Amino acid sequence: MRLMERTVHWLCLVLIVTGGVARQAPALADSVPFWGAKASVPIDTPINQLKKGEFLWMGEAVTEGPVVMVVSITEQRGYVYRNGILIGATTVSTGRPGHLTPTGVFTVLQKQKEHRSTIYDGAPMPYMERLTWGGIALHAGGLPGYPESHGCIHLPSEFAQLLFDISPNGMTVVIGTDKTEPEQVAHPGYLAPVKFIGGQPVEPEALAPTESEVWQPELSPSGPVSIVLSQASQLIIVYRNGIEIGRARLTVSGNTPLLNHALVLSEGPSSVPDPYVPDPTKFRWLRIGVPGHLGEQGTQVDPNAVARIKMPADFAARINGVLTPGATLFVTNEALYPQTGGPMMQVVDADPPAKSTKAPKARKS
């Protein structure tokens, strides 16, 4: 009898304990906040106008090629590039005074979708991508508009998930400031300012006054092709496997800005006159649905816009020689290289507490 009572008592304890665990599990998940905007701003939004917690994402525009990320502590922004072209930009929050985020070149060492800090009382760190074994990582976190983390790079929750889904282990992440990196790294634009392997700065190519184009396909003999066309910079630049292989001057007639669009080269005859496909009887550029233009998915280019774009005929022929279905084109009316006019400090819309900080020393990991 006593044995039966002890058995029943033990079973009750087990049910109480396991029931408690079952009740606690949802509470743990529910205790993870959602930080930042729930969706991307339209792709027409200038990057320097992002407000705290906002982000831009057009990962659908370039779905192949190496991925690299640049974090500007000066700007409190992060930039993600695929195949050499910007696919995402976001507001971030880096380390506060006393917990400064280290600068340098890092690689993603480990990824964990659900992670909690072993240093700071189990604080949630969803979509964690570890950069050092000392506790520095990319992850979703608070975004007050100024540096307020314990050294990690906080991202909007939705952006952190989108990045987590496409970033491989080993992805290069470059973290810099005005004092530790060249201007093109501290203030990135639409073109990847660093090499996707090693993270070394890429010096912006400049056409000589007498040059109209440069074509060097031997720099990257194979891989996915992505093209960016900028009305403001009057340039078209071609990347293959994340490496620039050519650029040329272009002109856009008329004063009306071109609309920002992402396009993919697809099989099927073009119904509009288009000299910028290998064979218009077999190929056509189709728009990709991206934030601000989701309803345009699968539609063809505007023939009036195509007619306004002029570039060297031989350069167009060279591009057509490397295009295959799946190649992508991003058209923007903005400049490819931001004009900072000097240090651009804390461009997000909230001010940190009045504290003086020393710039972190550059280090590589």
Side-chain angles (χ1 to χ4, degrees):
M1 185 69 177
R2 289 180 180 177
L3 178 61
M4 182 177 293
E5 289 177 351
R6 286 198 298 268
T7 302
V8 171
H9 179 69
W10 178 82
L11 288 172
C12 288
L13 286 175
V14 170
L15 289 173
I16 290 171
V17 171
T18 57
V21 171
R23 286 192 296 270
Q24 288 176 8
L28 184 65
D30 292 343
S31 68
V32 179
F34 187 96
W35 294 282
K38 294 183 178 180
S40 169
V41 299
I43 66 167
D44 310 276
T45 306
I47 297 170
N48 62 7
Q49 292 182 16
L50 291 176
K51 299 176 182 178
K52 64 178 180 179
E54 289 186 337
F55 67 91
L56 179 152
W57 185 263
M58 47 185 182
E60 302 85 354
V62 184
T63 58
E64 294 184 280
V67 181
V68 65
M69 184 171 187
V70 176
V71 176
S72 171
I73 293 177
T74 302
E75 292 186 359
Q76 289 294 282
R77 298 204 194 288
Y79 299 78
V80 180
Y81 300 87
R82 189 166 208 169
N83 210 27
I85 296 176
L86 183 78
I87 62 166
T90 183
T91 51
V92 303
S93 180
T94 57
R96 68 179 74 170
H99 298 274
L100 297 179
T101 300
T103 60
V105 180
F106 304 84
T107 56
V108 172
L109 303 171
Q110 180 190 52
K111 296 175 60 175
Q112 193 170 1
K113 185 176 180 179
E114 298 178 5
H115 182 80
R116 286 184 175 264
S117 173
T118 58
I119 302 174
Y120 297 107
D121 301 322
M125 300 169 61
Y127 305 107
M128 185 275 295
E129 302 194 48
R130 185 183 300 279
L131 301 181
T132 76
W133 294 112
I136 304 301
L138 303 162
H139 65 85
L143 299 155
Y146 52 83
E148 191 59 18
S149 79
H150 285 96
C152 289
I153 297 95
H154 286 181
L155 308 169
S157 295
E158 181 67 15
F159 186 94
Q161 180 177 356
L162 292 166
L163 176 64
F164 189 93
D165 289 344
I166 69 158
S167 57
N169 275 315
M171 177 183 74
T172 297
V173 179
V174 178
I175 305 172
T177 70
D178 275 328
K179 295 184 179 180
T180 64
E181 299 292 342
E183 183 176 11
Q184 73 267 25
V185 179
H187 303 287
Y190 280 97
L191 307 179
V194 297
K195 297 179 180 178
F196 63 90
I197 296 178
Q200 297 306 306
V202 174
E203 291 297 328
E205 296 287 341
L207 293 171
T210 57
E211 286 183 314
S212 61
E213 63 184 81
V214 171
W215 186 250
Q216 298 174 295
E218 69 279 2
L219 296 180
S220 183
S222 62
V225 173
S226 296
I227 305 167
V228 61
L229 184 155
S230 166
Q231 181 179 8
S233 296
Q234 297 186 328
L235 284 173
I236 181 169
I237 300 177
V238 184
Y239 286 86
R240 186 156 60 186
N241 203 37
I243 297 172
E244 181 180 330
I245 62 171
R247 65 171 53 202
R249 302 185 196 277
L250 60 81
T251 58
V252 179
S253 61
N255 298 322
T256 305
L258 294 173
L259 296 178
N260 287 10
H261 286 298
L263 305 106
V264 61
L265 187 68
S266 304
E267 294 182 345
S270 175
S271 62
V272 303
D274 191 347
Y276 306 123
V277 293
D279 183 344
T281 67
K282 298 179 180 179
F283 303 102
R284 55 186 174 173
W285 288 107
L286 296 181
R287 291 170 176 157
I288 300 168
V290 290
H293 301 273
L294 294 176
E296 298 175 353
Q297 173 75 29
T299 61
Q300 288 198 235
V301 295
D302 178 1
N304 295 321
V306 173
R308 294 175 57 198
I309 300 169
K310 304 296 180 185
M311 71 179 75
D314 57 345
F315 190 80
R318 290 185 175 115
I319 293 178
N320 286 340
V322 301
L323 289 178
T324 57
T328 56
L329 168 64
F330 178 61
V331 178
T332 179
N333 54 52
E334 295 188 47
L336 297 177
Y337 305 105
Q339 302 297 318
T340 61
M344 180 167 56
M345 297 299 294
Q346 304 305 106
V347 295
V348 287
D349 64 348
D351 295 322
K355 297 178 183 178
S356 61
T357 63
K358 294 182 180 180
K361 294 181 179 179
R363 87 180 193 195
K364 297 188 177 181
S365 173

